[in-house]
Amino acid sequence: MRHIISATDFTAEDIKRIFGRALEHKRGNGKGRLGGCVVASLFYEPSTRTRISFEMATLRGGGRIVSSEHAGIFSSAAKGETLEDTIRVIASYNPNVIVLRHKEAGAATRAAAVSSVPIINAGDGDNEHPTQALLDLFTIWEASRERRWPHASLRVSFFGDNRKSRTVRSLARLMLAMGNALGLDLGSLVFSGENLECAHPDGEFLRELENQEVVPFFLRPIREFDRNADIVYVTRFQKERYPDEGKLTDQSTEPFCVGLEHVRSLSEHAIIMHPLPRVDELSAEVDSDPRAWYFRQAENGLYVRMALLEMIIG
Ligand code: NCD
């Protein structure tokens, strides 16, 4: 039995297998392999793309789904039941896999410790979001075959909330571990954003970046938009993960919004990614620019999750 808790749970073999199969699904050549399977989806935190794409992936693959969309309210958690008890019981009904989103970091690890069926972490607090990292890396891999990036090695710029974004952490981990296996030559990772309180990784994530010797990384001054980037990965301010609903101490500056003037300063082969939802950090005027890849990125979630479910269940 195999759980997916962190982006570091994937091997190079997994990535090649998942991406190859996701490509087949994208091209419409993949026949569903989830017939007879039941996926239980348990979401304790808001979600649009992750939940719907997992459910669509299950249905498109020929499987069925049982789901608790507002598990914090509509499951027995509202009565005070522990996550461990809930998972133990749902697992005993024998779904093929449980897809779990939870507001607490470490929730997926706790669930896996008591579950008799595989757990897929669909985001746990500010910790990890491994399946988002998969679809992000798939999108980068796709771009690497379509774009002629001007630098010999890729320059990836994370712009936004790099402190509390689980998508940033998982993608950075996955790229560092798997970039080579996909033939992606990573040149540097740059972290900047609107505000000093959220622009830079800290704690364990920062130490991890410091301790790896694969790719140099740079913490840039706030509000510095990296014009040399091949990939700009924008994130929203994760206000729900800060005390006081994210009231930043520095209120003196206007919100920074990535707009056409920033995008036009990039190379024509650069791509803009965003895990979505966007709030006010990325202007809708960018959507029609050929560098805007975020809707394509979101669509890829369907194919990648189909392929992942097949691997975990199959
Ligand atoms: C992200 C998440 O939930 O972490 N969204 C997603 O899954 N596509 C990003 C976010 O909420 O900002």
Side-chain angles (χ1 to χ4, degrees):
M1 183 177 64
R2 173 117 194 248
H3 304 293
I4 302 295
I5 307 300
S6 161
T8 54
D9 290 339
F10 298 110
T11 65
E13 277 314 301
D14 295 337
I15 298 287
K16 287 181 190 156
R17 179 169 162 197
I18 293 169
F19 286 11
R21 187 71 182 144
L23 210 52
E24 281 177 24
H25 286 307
K26 186 161 188 174
R27 291 176 177 151
N29 304 332
K31 220 171 151 294
R33 290 181 190 161
L34 300 176
C37 297
V38 179
V39 172
S41 96
L42 207 52
F43 277 65
Y44 289 85
E45 220 196 18
S47 168
T48 304
R49 278 147 289 273
T50 307
R51 188 177 65 81
I52 303 284
S53 65
F54 259 119
E55 298 196 2
M56 284 299 296
T58 307
L59 297 172
R60 293 262 301 255
R64 283 166 300 154
I65 191 107
V66 283
S67 107
S68 186
E69 182 188 344
H70 296 290
I73 307 168
F74 294 147
S75 75
S76 289
K79 302 178 189 169
E81 185 173 56
T82 62
L83 175 67
E84 281 81 353
D85 282 1
T86 306
I87 295 291
R88 205 173 260 136
V89 172
I90 293 177
S92 76
Y93 300 151
N94 213 18
N96 295 81
V97 63
I98 297 174
V99 178
L100 174 71
R101 167 166 291 193
H102 203 280
K103 56 187 183 310
E104 285 165 26
T109 307
R110 281 166 49 208
V114 296
S115 180
S116 53
V117 303
I119 299 285
I120 296 180
N121 180 6
D124 63 332
D126 62 7
N127 181 35
E128 282 233 33
H129 196 345
T131 67
Q132 178 72 39
L134 260 191
L135 74 94
D136 291 345
L137 188 61
F138 178 82
T139 305
I140 293 169
W141 178 64
E142 208 179 27
S144 74
R145 300 180 321 161
E146 286 180 32
R147 313 296 268 188
R148 284 189 308 281
W149 282 319
H151 310 111
S153 48
L154 264 184
R155 189 166 169 137
V156 184
S157 181
F158 291 97
F159 190 89
D161 188 341
N162 295 313
R163 189 168 153 218
K164 297 282 188 190
S165 284
R166 54 194 176 198
T167 64
V168 169
R169 189 168 315 187
S170 288
L171 177 57
R173 283 179 177 153
L174 193 64
M175 279 194 310
L176 289 170
M178 292 298 150
N180 273 349
L182 291 170
L184 294 170
D185 182 10
L186 280 182
S188 64
L189 304 181
V190 176
F191 297 90
S192 63
E194 170 181 337
N195 193 297
L196 194 53
E197 278 168 85
C198 65
H200 298 156
D202 69 352
E204 190 196 339
F205 182 32
L206 179 61
R207 278 191 294 281
E208 241 177 84
L209 290 166
E210 285 166 347
N211 291 338
Q212 57 84 30
E213 281 167 8
V214 186
V215 177
F217 77 97
F218 304 94
L219 306 185
R220 288 278 185 247
I222 54 168
R223 289 173 176 251
E224 187 176 293
F225 191 81
D226 183 5
R227 288 175 168 67
N228 293 314
D230 302 299
I231 298 168
V232 181
Y233 190 97
V234 185
T235 42
R236 73 179 170 95
F237 176 51
Q238 310 274 306
K239 67 178 167 86
E240 70 277 25
R241 310 204 190 289
Y242 290 84
D244 220 7
E245 264 291 288
K247 283 213 180 52
L248 294 171
T249 22
D250 177 10
Q251 300 280 334
S252 59
T253 48
E254 282 292 299
F256 186 102
C257 179
V258 176
L260 266 184
E261 75 274 23
H262 303 103
V263 173
R264 285 188 180 137
S265 70
L266 297 166
S267 124
E268 60 172 318
H269 292 285
I271 64 168
I272 309 282
M273 298 177 69
H274 193 308
L276 303 177
R278 71 172 145 192
V279 188
D280 48 16
E281 66 288 341
L282 176 59
S283 168
E285 69 185 19
V286 175
D287 298 359
S288 51
D289 189 283
R291 283 161 283 212
W293 271 52
Y294 30 92
F295 289 116
R296 180 167 175 168
Q297 175 188 357
E299 182 194 328
N300 283 339
L302 173 67
Y303 314 119
V304 168
R305 289 182 171 122
M306 282 177 87
L308 173 67
L309 286 172
E310 288 172 355
M311 185 183 90
I312 295 297
I313 294 174

mmCIF file of all heavy atoms in Angstrom, residues 136-152:
data_model
loop_
_atom_site.group_PDB
_atom_site.id
_atom_site.type_symbol
_atom_site.label_atom_id
_atom_site.label_comp_id
_atom_site.label_asym_id
_atom_site.label_seq_id
_atom_site.Cartn_x
_atom_site.Cartn_y
_atom_site.Cartn_z
ATOM 1 N N ASP A 136 2.073 20.878 -11.697
ATOM 2 C CA ASP A 136 2.937 22.023 -12.015
ATOM 3 C C ASP A 136 4.174 21.557 -12.791
ATOM 4 O O ASP A 136 4.551 22.149 -13.799
ATOM 5 C CB ASP A 136 3.379 22.731 -10.722
ATOM 6 C CG ASP A 136 2.228 23.456 -10.027
ATOM 7 O OD1 ASP A 136 1.173 23.654 -10.661
ATOM 8 O OD2 ASP A 136 2.387 23.815 -8.846
ATOM 9 N N LEU A 137 4.776 20.481 -12.314
ATOM 10 C CA LEU A 137 5.980 19.994 -12.992
ATOM 11 C C LEU A 137 5.636 19.441 -14.378
ATOM 12 O O LEU A 137 6.390 19.625 -15.332
ATOM 13 C CB LEU A 137 6.682 18.919 -12.146
ATOM 14 C CG LEU A 137 8.052 18.492 -12.669
ATOM 15 C CD1 LEU A 137 9.037 19.662 -12.694
ATOM 16 C CD2 LEU A 137 8.647 17.356 -11.835
ATOM 17 N N PHE A 138 4.485 18.810 -14.494
ATOM 18 C CA PHE A 138 4.022 18.322 -15.800
ATOM 19 C C PHE A 138 3.903 19.506 -16.771
ATOM 20 O O PHE A 138 4.322 19.421 -17.931
ATOM 21 C CB PHE A 138 2.669 17.614 -15.653
ATOM 22 C CG PHE A 138 2.079 17.123 -16.946
ATOM 23 C CD1 PHE A 138 2.491 15.921 -17.505
ATOM 24 C CD2 PHE A 138 1.109 17.863 -17.608
ATOM 25 C CE1 PHE A 138 1.937 15.465 -18.713
ATOM 26 C CE2 PHE A 138 0.555 17.420 -18.806
ATOM 27 C CZ PHE A 138 0.971 16.213 -19.351
ATOM 28 N N THR A 139 3.346 20.620 -16.265
ATOM 29 C CA THR A 139 3.165 21.811 -17.109
ATOM 30 C C THR A 139 4.523 22.384 -17.526
ATOM 31 O O THR A 139 4.712 22.783 -18.682
ATOM 32 C CB THR A 139 2.320 22.861 -16.338
ATOM 33 O OG1 THR A 139 1.102 22.239 -15.924
ATOM 34 C CG2 THR A 139 2.017 24.072 -17.195
ATOM 35 N N ILE A 140 5.466 22.381 -16.598
ATOM 36 C CA ILE A 140 6.817 22.880 -16.918
ATOM 37 C C ILE A 140 7.478 21.966 -17.952
ATOM 38 O O ILE A 140 8.120 22.417 -18.910
ATOM 39 C CB ILE A 140 7.664 22.983 -15.628
ATOM 40 C CG1 ILE A 140 7.093 24.077 -14.718
ATOM 41 C CG2 ILE A 140 9.130 23.240 -15.941
ATOM 42 C CD1 ILE A 140 7.674 24.118 -13.307
ATOM 43 N N TRP A 141 7.300 20.693 -17.775
ATOM 44 C CA TRP A 141 7.853 19.700 -18.709
ATOM 45 C C TRP A 141 7.253 19.893 -20.104
ATOM 46 O O TRP A 141 7.965 19.875 -21.117
ATOM 47 C CB TRP A 141 7.546 18.308 -18.158
ATOM 48 C CG TRP A 141 7.984 17.149 -18.974
ATOM 49 C CD1 TRP A 141 9.261 16.804 -19.283
ATOM 50 C CD2 TRP A 141 7.140 16.157 -19.578
ATOM 51 N NE1 TRP A 141 9.266 15.648 -20.038
ATOM 52 C CE2 TRP A 141 7.979 15.237 -20.228
ATOM 53 C CE3 TRP A 141 5.765 15.957 -19.616
ATOM 54 C CZ2 TRP A 141 7.476 14.133 -20.920
ATOM 55 C CZ3 TRP A 141 5.257 14.860 -20.301
ATOM 56 C CH2 TRP A 141 6.115 13.968 -20.948
ATOM 57 N N GLU A 142 5.941 20.143 -20.132
ATOM 58 C CA GLU A 142 5.251 20.409 -21.396
ATOM 59 C C GLU A 142 5.824 21.686 -22.034
ATOM 60 O O GLU A 142 6.128 21.710 -23.232
ATOM 61 C CB GLU A 142 3.766 20.622 -21.068
ATOM 62 C CG GLU A 142 2.828 20.258 -22.155
ATOM 63 C CD GLU A 142 1.366 20.475 -21.723
ATOM 64 O OE1 GLU A 142 1.069 21.325 -20.849
ATOM 65 O OE2 GLU A 142 0.521 19.774 -22.293
ATOM 66 N N ALA A 143 5.979 22.721 -21.212
ATOM 67 C CA ALA A 143 6.507 23.995 -21.726
ATOM 68 C C ALA A 143 7.922 23.821 -22.253
ATOM 69 O O ALA A 143 8.296 24.415 -23.266
ATOM 70 C CB ALA A 143 6.478 25.052 -20.623
ATOM 71 N N SER A 144 8.703 22.964 -21.580
ATOM 72 C CA SER A 144 10.103 22.799 -21.990
ATOM 73 C C SER A 144 10.194 22.213 -23.399
ATOM 74 O O SER A 144 11.202 22.354 -24.072
ATOM 75 C CB SER A 144 10.852 21.896 -20.997
ATOM 76 O OG SER A 144 10.468 20.548 -21.176
ATOM 77 N N ARG A 145 9.129 21.568 -23.837
ATOM 78 C CA ARG A 145 9.166 20.982 -25.184
ATOM 79 C C ARG A 145 8.561 21.916 -26.224
ATOM 80 O O ARG A 145 8.667 21.676 -27.415
ATOM 81 C CB ARG A 145 8.465 19.629 -25.166
ATOM 82 C CG ARG A 145 9.192 18.716 -24.171
ATOM 83 C CD ARG A 145 8.662 17.340 -24.018
ATOM 84 N NE ARG A 145 7.229 17.245 -24.028
ATOM 85 C CZ ARG A 145 6.587 16.121 -24.265
ATOM 86 N NH1 ARG A 145 7.257 15.019 -24.539
ATOM 87 N NH2 ARG A 145 5.290 16.089 -24.239
ATOM 88 N N GLU A 146 7.901 22.987 -25.760
ATOM 89 C CA GLU A 146 7.268 23.926 -26.697
ATOM 90 C C GLU A 146 7.960 25.267 -26.771
ATOM 91 O O GLU A 146 7.828 25.983 -27.749
ATOM 92 C CB GLU A 146 5.815 24.177 -26.275
ATOM 93 C CG GLU A 146 4.914 23.020 -26.570
ATOM 94 C CD GLU A 146 3.480 23.316 -26.138
ATOM 95 O OE1 GLU A 146 3.049 24.479 -26.192
ATOM 96 O OE2 GLU A 146 2.802 22.350 -25.745
ATOM 97 N N ARG A 147 8.614 25.666 -25.681
ATOM 98 C CA ARG A 147 9.210 26.997 -25.629
ATOM 99 C C ARG A 147 10.710 26.888 -25.884
ATOM 100 O O ARG A 147 11.337 25.886 -25.536
ATOM 101 C CB ARG A 147 9.023 27.649 -24.248
ATOM 102 C CG ARG A 147 7.642 27.558 -23.697
ATOM 103 C CD ARG A 147 6.641 28.298 -24.514
ATOM 104 N NE ARG A 147 6.434 29.671 -24.068
ATOM 105 C CZ ARG A 147 5.469 30.462 -24.553
ATOM 106 N NH1 ARG A 147 4.652 30.012 -25.475
ATOM 107 N NH2 ARG A 147 5.334 31.685 -24.127
ATOM 108 N N ARG A 148 11.252 27.956 -26.459
ATOM 109 C CA ARG A 148 12.717 27.987 -26.593
ATOM 110 C C ARG A 148 13.249 28.953 -25.551
ATOM 111 O O ARG A 148 13.416 30.143 -25.815
ATOM 112 C CB ARG A 148 13.097 28.425 -28.010
ATOM 113 C CG ARG A 148 12.899 27.341 -29.036
ATOM 114 C CD ARG A 148 13.478 27.746 -30.371
ATOM 115 N NE ARG A 148 12.985 29.045 -30.806
ATOM 116 C CZ ARG A 148 11.781 29.258 -31.362
ATOM 117 N NH1 ARG A 148 10.963 28.243 -31.555
ATOM 118 N NH2 ARG A 148 11.404 30.461 -31.726
ATOM 119 N N TRP A 149 13.459 28.420 -24.357
ATOM 120 C CA TRP A 149 13.932 29.274 -23.281
ATOM 121 C C TRP A 149 15.334 29.775 -23.591
ATOM 122 O O TRP A 149 16.199 28.987 -24.009
ATOM 123 C CB TRP A 149 13.897 28.512 -21.957
ATOM 124 C CG TRP A 149 12.504 28.439 -21.392
ATOM 125 C CD1 TRP A 149 11.585 29.446 -21.377
ATOM 126 C CD2 TRP A 149 11.865 27.316 -20.769
ATOM 127 N NE1 TRP A 149 10.417 29.016 -20.774
ATOM 128 C CE2 TRP A 149 10.562 27.726 -20.382
ATOM 129 C CE3 TRP A 149 12.268 26.018 -20.474
ATOM 130 C CZ2 TRP A 149 9.666 26.889 -19.740
ATOM 131 C CZ3 TRP A 149 11.373 25.184 -19.830
ATOM 132 C CH2 TRP A 149 10.087 25.606 -19.467
ATOM 133 N N PRO A 150 15.557 31.080 -23.400
ATOM 134 C CA PRO A 150 16.825 31.655 -23.854
ATOM 135 C C PRO A 150 18.050 31.231 -23.046
ATOM 136 O O PRO A 150 19.169 31.287 -23.546
ATOM 137 C CB PRO A 150 16.600 33.171 -23.714
ATOM 138 C CG PRO A 150 15.444 33.334 -22.799
ATOM 139 C CD PRO A 150 14.631 32.082 -22.878
ATOM 140 N N HIS A 151 17.857 30.795 -21.806
ATOM 141 C CA HIS A 151 19.028 30.455 -20.995
ATOM 142 C C HIS A 151 19.335 28.964 -21.104
ATOM 143 O O HIS A 151 18.431 28.156 -21.273
ATOM 144 C CB HIS A 151 18.780 30.817 -19.528
ATOM 145 C CG HIS A 151 18.281 32.217 -19.361
ATOM 146 N ND1 HIS A 151 17.011 32.529 -18.957
ATOM 147 C CD2 HIS A 151 18.896 33.403 -19.607
ATOM 148 C CE1 HIS A 151 16.854 33.839 -18.934
ATOM 149 N NE2 HIS A 151 17.991 34.390 -19.332
ATOM 150 N N ALA A 152 20.600 28.657 -20.946
ATOM 151 C CA ALA A 152 21.001 27.249 -21.024
ATOM 152 C C ALA A 152 20.353 26.484 -19.883
ATOM 153 O O ALA A 152 19.973 25.328 -20.027
ATOM 154 C CB ALA A 152 22.514 27.146 -20.937
#
